[in-house]
Amino acid sequence: APLAVWRGRKVREFTKLVRPLRDSAVHMEMANLFLKGRFDDKPDGKGCLFHLVQAAKGGLMIAVLALARCLAGLPSEDFDLPEIVGDVEEFGPVIQVLLEVAAAGSSEPAMAGLAMALHYGTYGETSWARAASKYKVLWDMMKNRTYEDPIDQTFVGIRVPTGWKSEFGWMDSPLSGQTITEVDVAAALATIYEEGDAPQLPVNTAKAAEWYEIAAEAATDHGLAKKAMQYLDKAAVLADDARTEEELSPRSEKVAPSPAFGIPRTEPTTE
Protein backbone atom coordinates (compact mmCIF):
# COMPACT_ATOMS: atom_id res chain seq x y z
CA ALA A 1 0.00 0.00 0.00
CA PRO A 2 1.15 3.58 -0.60
CA LEU A 3 2.87 5.14 2.41
CA ALA A 4 0.09 7.73 2.94
CA VAL A 5 -2.58 5.02 2.98
CA TRP A 6 -0.48 2.87 5.32
CA ARG A 7 0.00 5.78 7.73
CA GLY A 8 -3.72 6.55 7.65
CA ARG A 9 -4.52 2.94 8.49
CA LYS A 10 -2.15 3.03 11.46
CA VAL A 11 -3.77 6.22 12.75
CA ARG A 12 -7.22 4.64 12.49
CA GLU A 13 -5.98 1.54 14.36
CA PHE A 14 -4.56 3.75 17.11
CA THR A 15 -7.85 5.68 17.42
CA LYS A 16 -9.86 2.47 17.58
CA LEU A 17 -7.48 0.85 20.06
CA VAL A 18 -7.13 3.47 22.75
CA ARG A 19 -9.92 6.04 22.23
CA PRO A 20 -11.68 5.12 25.54
CA LEU A 21 -8.30 5.03 27.30
CA ARG A 22 -6.45 7.80 25.51
CA ASP A 23 -5.72 9.84 28.65
CA SER A 24 -4.57 6.74 30.51
CA ALA A 25 -2.31 5.79 27.61
CA VAL A 26 -0.73 9.24 27.72
CA HIS A 27 -0.18 8.92 31.49
CA MET A 28 1.46 5.52 30.92
CA GLU A 29 3.83 7.01 28.39
CA MET A 30 4.59 9.93 30.71
CA ALA A 31 5.43 7.46 33.48
CA ASN A 32 7.93 5.80 31.17
CA LEU A 33 9.49 9.12 30.15
CA PHE A 34 9.81 10.35 33.74
CA LEU A 35 11.62 7.17 34.78
CA LYS A 36 13.98 7.45 31.81
CA GLY A 37 14.90 11.00 32.88
CA ARG A 38 13.61 12.68 29.75
CA PHE A 39 12.47 15.78 31.63
CA ASP A 40 15.25 16.35 34.18
CA ASP A 41 18.31 14.48 32.89
CA LYS A 42 17.84 11.91 35.64
CA PRO A 43 15.18 9.33 36.55
CA ASP A 44 12.21 10.77 38.42
CA GLY A 45 10.55 7.93 40.36
CA LYS A 46 7.92 10.17 41.96
CA GLY A 47 6.86 11.58 38.61
CA CYS A 48 6.70 8.07 37.18
CA LEU A 49 4.60 6.79 40.07
CA PHE A 50 2.18 9.72 39.84
CA HIS A 51 1.44 9.09 36.17
CA LEU A 52 1.34 5.32 36.70
CA VAL A 53 -1.36 5.79 39.34
CA GLN A 54 -3.34 8.09 37.02
CA ALA A 55 -3.11 5.56 34.18
CA ALA A 56 -4.29 2.79 36.50
CA LYS A 57 -7.18 4.92 37.79
CA GLY A 58 -8.21 5.50 34.19
CA GLY A 59 -8.61 1.77 33.65
CA LEU A 60 -5.52 0.91 31.59
CA MET A 61 -4.89 -2.73 32.53
CA ILE A 62 -1.14 -2.68 31.88
CA ALA A 63 -0.89 0.28 34.27
CA VAL A 64 -2.77 -1.67 36.93
CA LEU A 65 -0.36 -4.60 36.47
CA ALA A 66 2.66 -2.29 36.54
CA LEU A 67 1.47 -0.49 39.68
CA ALA A 68 0.84 -3.79 41.48
CA ARG A 69 4.33 -4.99 40.49
CA CYS A 70 5.85 -1.74 41.69
CA LEU A 71 4.12 -1.96 45.10
CA ALA A 72 5.25 -5.58 45.42
CA GLY A 73 8.86 -4.49 44.98
CA LEU A 74 9.35 -7.11 42.28
CA PRO A 75 11.31 -6.70 39.05
CA SER A 76 9.76 -6.53 35.61
CA GLU A 77 11.74 -7.36 32.50
CA ASP A 78 9.24 -5.62 30.23
CA PHE A 79 9.10 -2.19 31.84
CA ASP A 80 11.34 -0.24 34.20
CA LEU A 81 9.59 0.52 37.48
CA PRO A 82 10.47 2.91 40.31
CA GLU A 83 11.67 1.52 43.61
CA ILE A 84 9.48 2.19 46.63
CA VAL A 85 11.33 2.68 49.91
CA GLY A 86 9.62 1.09 52.88
CA ASP A 87 7.96 -2.13 53.97
CA VAL A 88 6.28 -3.54 50.88
CA GLU A 89 4.38 -6.08 53.01
CA GLU A 90 1.96 -3.36 54.08
CA PHE A 91 0.89 -3.01 50.43
CA GLY A 92 -0.30 -6.65 50.29
CA PRO A 93 -4.05 -5.93 50.38
CA VAL A 94 -3.68 -3.16 47.78
CA ILE A 95 -1.67 -5.44 45.48
CA GLN A 96 -4.31 -8.14 45.71
CA VAL A 97 -7.09 -5.65 44.93
CA LEU A 98 -5.17 -4.40 41.87
CA LEU A 99 -4.74 -7.98 40.64
CA GLU A 100 -8.46 -8.60 41.22
CA VAL A 101 -9.31 -5.54 39.13
CA ALA A 102 -7.02 -6.53 36.26
CA ALA A 103 -8.18 -10.16 36.40
CA ALA A 104 -11.79 -8.97 36.14
CA GLY A 105 -10.69 -7.23 32.94
CA SER A 106 -9.65 -10.61 31.46
CA SER A 107 -5.93 -10.07 32.00
CA GLU A 108 -4.20 -13.45 31.89
CA PRO A 109 -1.08 -12.27 33.80
CA ALA A 110 -3.30 -10.78 36.51
CA MET A 111 -5.31 -14.01 36.77
CA ALA A 112 -2.06 -15.97 37.09
CA GLY A 113 -0.66 -13.60 39.71
CA LEU A 114 -3.92 -13.64 41.67
CA ALA A 115 -4.26 -17.44 41.59
CA MET A 116 -0.70 -17.93 42.82
CA ALA A 117 -1.08 -15.21 45.47
CA LEU A 118 -4.18 -16.93 46.88
CA HIS A 119 -2.50 -20.34 46.64
CA TYR A 120 0.71 -19.38 48.43
CA GLY A 121 -0.58 -16.51 50.58
CA THR A 122 1.94 -14.12 49.05
CA TYR A 123 0.01 -10.96 49.95
CA GLY A 124 -1.70 -11.96 53.18
CA GLU A 125 -4.75 -13.97 52.12
CA THR A 126 -4.51 -17.71 51.59
CA SER A 127 -7.60 -19.34 50.11
CA TRP A 128 -7.21 -22.57 48.15
CA ALA A 129 -10.89 -22.53 47.27
CA ARG A 130 -10.54 -19.14 45.57
CA ALA A 131 -7.18 -20.14 44.11
CA ALA A 132 -8.77 -23.21 42.49
CA SER A 133 -11.45 -21.01 40.97
CA LYS A 134 -8.86 -18.61 39.52
CA TYR A 135 -6.65 -21.45 38.27
CA LYS A 136 -9.61 -22.90 36.36
CA VAL A 137 -10.27 -19.56 34.68
CA LEU A 138 -6.55 -19.26 33.91
CA TRP A 139 -6.56 -22.75 32.40
CA ASP A 140 -9.41 -21.78 30.07
CA MET A 141 -7.59 -18.58 29.12
CA MET A 142 -4.43 -20.51 28.26
CA LYS A 143 -6.28 -23.13 26.22
CA ASN A 144 -8.22 -20.50 24.28
CA ARG A 145 -5.30 -18.24 23.38
CA THR A 146 -5.41 -16.83 19.88
CA TYR A 147 -2.42 -15.79 17.83
CA GLU A 148 -1.85 -12.06 17.56
CA ASP A 149 0.63 -10.30 15.36
CA PRO A 150 3.47 -8.83 17.44
CA ILE A 151 3.32 -5.12 18.10
CA ASP A 152 5.30 -3.11 15.59
CA GLN A 153 7.98 -1.56 17.83
CA THR A 154 8.07 1.49 15.56
CA PHE A 155 4.72 2.55 16.96
CA VAL A 156 5.25 1.74 20.65
CA GLY A 157 4.73 5.02 22.45
CA ILE A 158 2.71 6.36 19.50
CA ARG A 159 0.08 3.85 18.45
CA VAL A 160 0.12 2.03 21.78
CA PRO A 161 1.73 3.01 25.11
CA THR A 162 5.04 1.55 26.22
CA GLY A 163 4.41 -1.71 28.03
CA TRP A 164 1.47 -2.70 25.83
CA LYS A 165 0.82 -6.48 26.09
CA SER A 166 3.51 -6.78 28.79
CA GLU A 167 3.08 -9.34 31.56
CA PHE A 168 5.16 -7.42 34.12
CA GLY A 169 6.40 -10.69 35.62
CA TRP A 170 2.99 -11.85 36.88
CA MET A 171 3.22 -15.08 34.88
CA ASP A 172 6.34 -16.07 36.86
CA SER A 173 6.02 -18.58 39.68
CA PRO A 174 7.02 -17.19 43.12
CA LEU A 175 8.60 -20.60 43.86
CA SER A 176 10.65 -21.34 40.74
CA GLY A 177 10.79 -17.92 39.09
CA GLN A 178 9.92 -19.63 35.80
CA THR A 179 6.98 -18.67 33.59
CA ILE A 180 4.07 -20.96 34.40
CA THR A 181 2.44 -23.08 31.71
CA GLU A 182 -0.70 -25.19 31.38
CA VAL A 183 1.28 -28.00 33.03
CA ASP A 184 1.87 -25.94 36.18
CA VAL A 185 -1.77 -24.79 36.35
CA ALA A 186 -3.18 -28.33 36.04
CA ALA A 187 -0.65 -29.66 38.57
CA ALA A 188 -1.52 -26.87 41.01
CA LEU A 189 -5.22 -27.74 40.76
CA ALA A 190 -4.43 -31.42 41.29
CA THR A 191 -2.39 -30.63 44.41
CA ILE A 192 -5.11 -28.38 45.83
CA TYR A 193 -7.79 -31.08 45.43
CA GLU A 194 -5.44 -33.78 46.71
CA GLU A 195 -4.54 -31.94 49.92
CA GLY A 196 -7.70 -29.88 50.40
CA ASP A 197 -8.25 -26.76 52.48
CA ALA A 198 -11.01 -27.57 54.96
CA PRO A 199 -13.66 -26.43 55.51
CA GLN A 200 -13.87 -24.31 52.34
CA LEU A 201 -12.37 -26.95 50.05
CA PRO A 202 -12.53 -30.59 51.23
CA VAL A 203 -10.16 -33.21 49.82
CA ASN A 204 -11.46 -34.55 46.50
CA THR A 205 -9.35 -37.45 45.28
CA ALA A 206 -11.47 -37.97 42.16
CA LYS A 207 -10.92 -34.39 40.99
CA ALA A 208 -7.25 -34.59 41.95
CA ALA A 209 -6.86 -37.70 39.78
CA GLU A 210 -8.64 -35.97 36.91
CA TRP A 211 -6.36 -32.91 37.05
CA TYR A 212 -3.22 -35.06 37.33
CA GLU A 213 -4.32 -36.79 34.11
CA ILE A 214 -4.82 -33.38 32.49
CA ALA A 215 -1.39 -32.28 33.76
CA ALA A 216 0.15 -35.44 32.27
CA GLU A 217 -1.44 -34.72 28.90
CA ALA A 218 -0.20 -31.12 29.00
CA ALA A 219 3.28 -32.28 30.01
CA THR A 220 3.32 -34.66 27.04
CA ASP A 221 2.35 -31.80 24.73
CA HIS A 222 5.29 -29.80 26.13
CA GLY A 223 7.71 -32.69 25.64
CA LEU A 224 8.07 -33.37 29.37
CA ALA A 225 7.87 -37.18 29.27
CA LYS A 226 9.28 -37.83 32.75
CA LYS A 227 6.93 -35.35 34.38
CA ALA A 228 4.00 -36.79 32.41
CA MET A 229 4.73 -40.29 33.76
CA GLN A 230 4.92 -38.95 37.33
CA TYR A 231 1.52 -37.28 36.97
CA LEU A 232 0.00 -40.43 35.42
CA ASP A 233 1.27 -42.52 38.35
CA LYS A 234 -0.28 -40.09 40.83
CA ALA A 235 -3.54 -40.06 38.86
CA ALA A 236 -3.72 -43.87 38.94
CA VAL A 237 -3.14 -44.05 42.71
CA LEU A 238 -5.71 -41.34 43.44
CA ALA A 239 -8.26 -42.90 41.08
CA ASP A 240 -7.96 -46.17 43.04
CA ASP A 241 -8.37 -44.25 46.31
CA ALA A 242 -11.46 -42.52 44.94
CA ARG A 243 -13.05 -45.85 43.98
CA THR A 244 -12.29 -47.25 47.42
CA GLU A 245 -13.83 -44.20 49.11
CA GLU A 246 -16.94 -44.55 46.98
CA GLU A 247 -17.31 -48.23 47.87
CA LEU A 248 -16.92 -47.54 51.60
CA SER A 249 -19.19 -44.48 51.72
CA PRO A 250 -22.67 -44.90 53.34
CA ARG A 251 -25.33 -45.87 50.83
CA SER A 252 -27.69 -43.05 50.00
CA GLU A 253 -31.45 -43.30 50.05
CA LYS A 254 -33.27 -43.77 46.79
CA VAL A 255 -36.15 -41.46 45.95
CA ALA A 256 -39.24 -43.31 44.70
CA PRO A 257 -42.53 -41.76 43.58
CA SER A 258 -45.37 -41.98 46.07
CA PRO A 259 -48.58 -43.49 44.75
CA ALA A 260 -50.46 -40.56 46.23
CA PHE A 261 -50.42 -37.50 43.97
CA GLY A 262 -46.97 -38.41 42.61
CA ILE A 263 -45.20 -36.91 45.65
CA PRO A 264 -41.65 -38.32 46.00
CA ARG A 265 -40.98 -40.42 49.08
CA THR A 266 -37.71 -41.97 50.28
CA GLU A 267 -37.08 -45.68 50.53
CA PRO A 268 -33.98 -47.36 51.98
CA THR A 269 -31.90 -49.29 49.51
CA THR A 270 -32.24 -53.07 49.50
CA GLU A 271 -29.38 -53.83 47.13
Side-chain angles (χ1 to χ4, degrees):
L3 184 58
V5 175
W6 181 77
R7 282 177 174 169
R9 185 185 304 140
K10 291 298 180 183
V11 170
R12 287 194 297 273
E13 288 177 4
F14 171 75
T15 303
K16 180 180 179 182
L17 181 65
V18 299
R19 183 181 292 278
L21 299 169
R22 183 173 294 169
D23 290 347
S24 297
V26 171
H27 278 298
M28 188 70 180
E29 200 56 37
M30 291 289 287
N32 180 54
L33 294 175
F34 266 103
L35 199 60
K36 290 185 180 299
R38 294 293 185 89
F39 301 111
D40 196 21
D41 296 329
K42 62 181 180 179
D44 184 346
K46 289 184 179 179
C48 171
L49 191 58
F50 170 81
H51 287 286
L52 197 57
V53 170
Q54 298 308 310
K57 282 183 176 180
L60 190 65
M61 287 301 103
I62 57 169
V64 177
L65 290 174
L67 182 58
R69 198 73 178 174
C70 180
L71 294 177
L74 296 172
S76 170
E77 295 180 359
D78 306 313
F79 192 95
D80 291 333
L81 294 170
E83 294 183 9
I84 295 181
V85 179
D87 187 3
V88 297
E89 292 183 0
E90 66 187 45
F91 296 123
V94 179
I95 296 166
Q96 190 157 313
V97 168
L98 290 172
L99 290 176
E100 294 266 12
V101 169
S106 300
S107 166
E108 186 175 311
M111 191 65 70
L114 181 59
M116 290 186 286
L118 291 168
H119 188 180
Y120 303 117
T122 314
Y123 302 113
E125 180 186 357
T126 303
S127 172
W128 281 18
R130 292 192 64 210
S133 173
K134 304 304 178 185
Y135 275 133
K136 288 176 184 176
V137 176
L138 178 60
W139 170 265
D140 290 337
M141 286 179 166
M142 288 179 161
K143 298 303 288 185
N144 295 318
R145 284 173 178 163
T146 56
Y147 175 78
E148 295 183 10
D149 292 330
I151 295 294
D152 186 343
Q153 295 299 310
T154 307
F155 290 93
V156 171
I158 301 174
R159 182 164 68 90
V160 294
T162 300
W164 189 253
K165 299 293 184 183
S166 295
E167 298 173 349
F168 294 96
W170 289 115
M171 294 294 291
D172 298 341
S173 167
L175 300 182
S176 67
Q178 301 297 315
T179 301
I180 64 169
T181 65
E182 297 97 319
V183 181
D184 302 300
V185 174
L189 278 163
T191 301
I192 286 174
Y193 284 119
E194 181 184 8
E195 299 180 5
D197 184 25
Q200 290 83 8
L201 189 75
V203 170
N204 191 324
T205 51
K207 279 191 176 181
E210 179 184 348
W211 277 106
Y212 273 126
E213 288 182 1
I214 294 172
E217 183 179 348
T220 301
D221 292 341
H222 283 261
L224 304 172
K226 184 176 180 181
K227 188 169 281 189
M229 290 302 298
Q230 292 173 347
Y231 291 147
L232 282 175
D233 290 342
K234 285 189 174 183
V237 171
L238 289 170
D240 288 340
D241 291 345
R243 283 191 290 270
T244 302
E245 289 173 6
E246 187 176 357
E247 291 171 359
L248 296 176
S249 63
R251 294 183 177 182
S252 59
E253 294 181 332
K254 286 185 177 180
V255 177
S258 169
F261 309 110
I263 301 174
R265 61 185 175 83
T266 60
E267 290 182 348
T269 60
T270 57
E271 299 174 358

